[in-house]
Amino acid sequence: MFLRDCWYVAGWSRDIGAALTPVRILGDAIVMFRKADGTVAALEDACPHRKLPLSMGRREGDRVVCGYHGMTFDAGGGCVATPTQERIPSGARVRSYPTLERYGFVWIWTGAAERADPAKLIDIPHYDDPTWGRTAGGDMPIACNYLYITDNLLDPSHVAWVHLSSFAGAKTDSTPLRTDVTETGVVVWRWMMDTEPPAYYKPLVKFEGNADRKQHYECVVPSIAINKSIFAPAGHGGPDAPLHEKTYINISYNFMTPVDESHSHYYWFQHRNTDPENQEISESMNRGAYGAFTEDKDVLEAVQIGMANKKTPHLDLALDAGALRFRKLVAARIAAETAAPTRAAEPVGA
């Protein structure tokens, strides 16, 4: 169901402090806390004695004390004290998860710790570029499987019906889509020429009149969506056109962390090539994005219920081509990952 040898967003850096913070990721109960040196520890949230969540215990420096019988664990998961007996049992430890911090998030590696590789984290160009503006971002729980969210974020056409007051606009309901498969994911895109910018973007573009508009909807394994909205003055856009000096670019970075098979946590922020210091624009964009993503949440939670309780088969449309290709790519990666230990265990000459 899930790809594990990869990085997922565990939370905003601003939300992880000294307190024991329970989270659930890929069905795993995890407790996180910021150590004295500022780094973040992530442990299995279950004491090995009777599986009481360690998040119900307390901190003692960089150690966690179970609230049932005082078994104490260091930040690496090893048991360092069992107050009820002198000898620490050999199996007294909890799993420790690698973490790193970047782009305002705490990321967690959910696979084998020895394979955790910071180089496998997504690169975000211009993140520290002082000429680009950035919203504070947000997050919300969504009661659906994470792949329904990636389906949605590989479907530019849904804006014509779901986001009528924000992202919808002329030709979003009819312009054909193109799909490209990359080494890391899938891109669905289209140019819509000589159209009025939609309500969300109209006050943000830096030119008057109609625009050539590009929708670039990309999903990267395991569950990261990069949605680019590009607006050039009418007559200056298109696949082969050079970048016009007044072209407006907004990139929405979206990170879906599976909670379990039917729940996800959705994180996002937006990055634009204008107005780096304009806090009013950033706040307005964030409010608008939150409103639009709430519309998505309502739809996707209903889709989860409908698909889980369907009485007749569902069908796919041509607009689902990108989403289906991404699902196929994720499924292949999961199959390869789960098969790898089995191959490694085969005896020589088998």
Side-chain angles (χ1 to χ4, degrees):
M1 179 59 69
F2 306 121
L3 192 64
R4 288 190 169 268
D5 278 344
C6 50
W7 296 100
Y8 291 94
V9 171
W12 288 99
S13 291
R14 60 187 181 236
D15 293 335
I16 305 297
L20 298 176
T21 303
V23 297
R24 182 171 291 274
I25 298 174
L26 277 61
D28 294 357
I30 300 168
V31 60
M32 304 179 69
F33 60 93
R34 195 172 294 278
K35 298 186 293 182
D37 65 2
T39 60
V40 175
L43 301 176
E44 175 187 0
D45 194 13
C47 177
H49 173 223
R50 289 294 183 266
K51 301 302 180 180
L52 183 76
L54 290 178
S55 56
M56 295 177 64
R58 69 179 190 275
R59 289 277 306 275
E60 282 188 357
D62 285 344
R63 298 175 173 181
V64 181
V65 181
C66 177
Y68 198 7
H69 293 98
M71 291 184 71
T72 303
F73 302 87
D74 62 26
C79 183
V80 295
T82 51
T84 59
Q85 61 186 54
E86 292 184 3
R87 187 181 66 84
I88 297 175
S90 60
R93 66 172 298 105
V94 295
R95 180 181 177 183
S96 174
Y97 296 78
T99 67
L100 62 82
E101 290 191 75
R102 199 172 299 170
Y103 310 130
F105 295 114
V106 175
W107 301 77
I108 190 166
W109 182 272
T110 52
E114 64 272 15
R115 292 196 290 269
D117 183 359
K120 291 185 177 181
L121 187 66
I122 186 174
D123 178 55
I124 299 182
H126 301 292
Y127 184 83
D128 294 316
D129 187 337
T131 67
W132 280 60
R134 186 171 65 242
T135 66
D139 64 276
M140 65 172 62
I142 302 184
C144 75
N145 184 277
Y146 76 105
L147 289 173
Y148 289 134
I149 310 177
T150 60
D151 287 350
N152 188 66
L153 292 170
L154 278 171
D155 173 22
S157 63
H158 84 275
V159 302
W161 289 273
V162 179
H163 305 306
L164 292 173
S165 63
S166 54
F167 302 145
K171 304 182 182 181
T172 55
D173 60 347
S174 58
T175 304
L177 300 168
R178 297 187 61 175
T179 302
D180 297 329
V181 178
T182 71
E183 291 184 1
T184 57
V186 174
V187 181
V188 178
W189 62 276
R190 61 184 173 185
W191 276 96
M192 294 164 288
M193 313 304 284
D194 196 15
T195 65
E196 183 180 5
Y200 182 84
Y201 288 106
K202 195 167 186 177
L204 301 174
V205 298
K206 301 303 182 181
F207 53 85
E208 300 294 330
N210 283 358
D212 294 337
R213 175 187 183 186
K214 184 183 183 183
Q215 287 179 301
H216 171 112
Y217 280 38
E218 177 179 1
C219 274
V220 175
V221 174
S223 51
I224 297 172
I226 304 165
N227 293 355
K228 299 180 184 179
S229 295
I230 301 176
F231 295 87
H236 294 277
D240 301 316
L243 190 66
H244 189 273
E245 62 180 4
K246 291 188 177 181
T247 296
Y248 177 84
I249 302 173
N250 182 61
I251 307 176
S252 177
Y253 288 98
N254 308 271
F255 309 91
M256 282 62 68
T257 299
V259 175
D260 55 32
E261 292 186 8
S262 56
H263 296 82
S264 306
H265 209 111
Y266 179 21
Y267 301 86
W268 71 85
F269 70 85
Q270 291 165 294
H271 213 191
R272 62 185 184 273
N273 68 335
T274 66
D275 306 295
E277 304 297 332
N278 194 318
Q279 190 63 23
E280 183 178 350
I281 286 178
S282 293
E283 292 175 358
S284 176
M285 291 182 70
N286 221 27
R287 288 193 300 270
Y290 185 84
F293 297 155
T294 299
E295 293 170 338
D296 286 325
K297 172 183 168 74
D298 292 342
V299 168
L300 293 171
E301 290 185 341
V303 165
Q304 173 72 36
I305 294 171
M307 292 291 278
N309 297 281
K310 60 187 177 185
K311 304 304 179 185
T312 57
H314 77 278
L315 58 84
D316 297 314
L317 301 176
L319 59 83
D320 297 311
L324 293 173
R325 289 188 181 188
F326 185 71
R327 282 175 173 262
K328 185 176 181 180
L329 177 60
V330 171
R333 295 284 184 90
I334 292 173
E337 184 177 277
T338 55
T342 302
R343 290 196 299 269
E346 292 176 354
V348 175

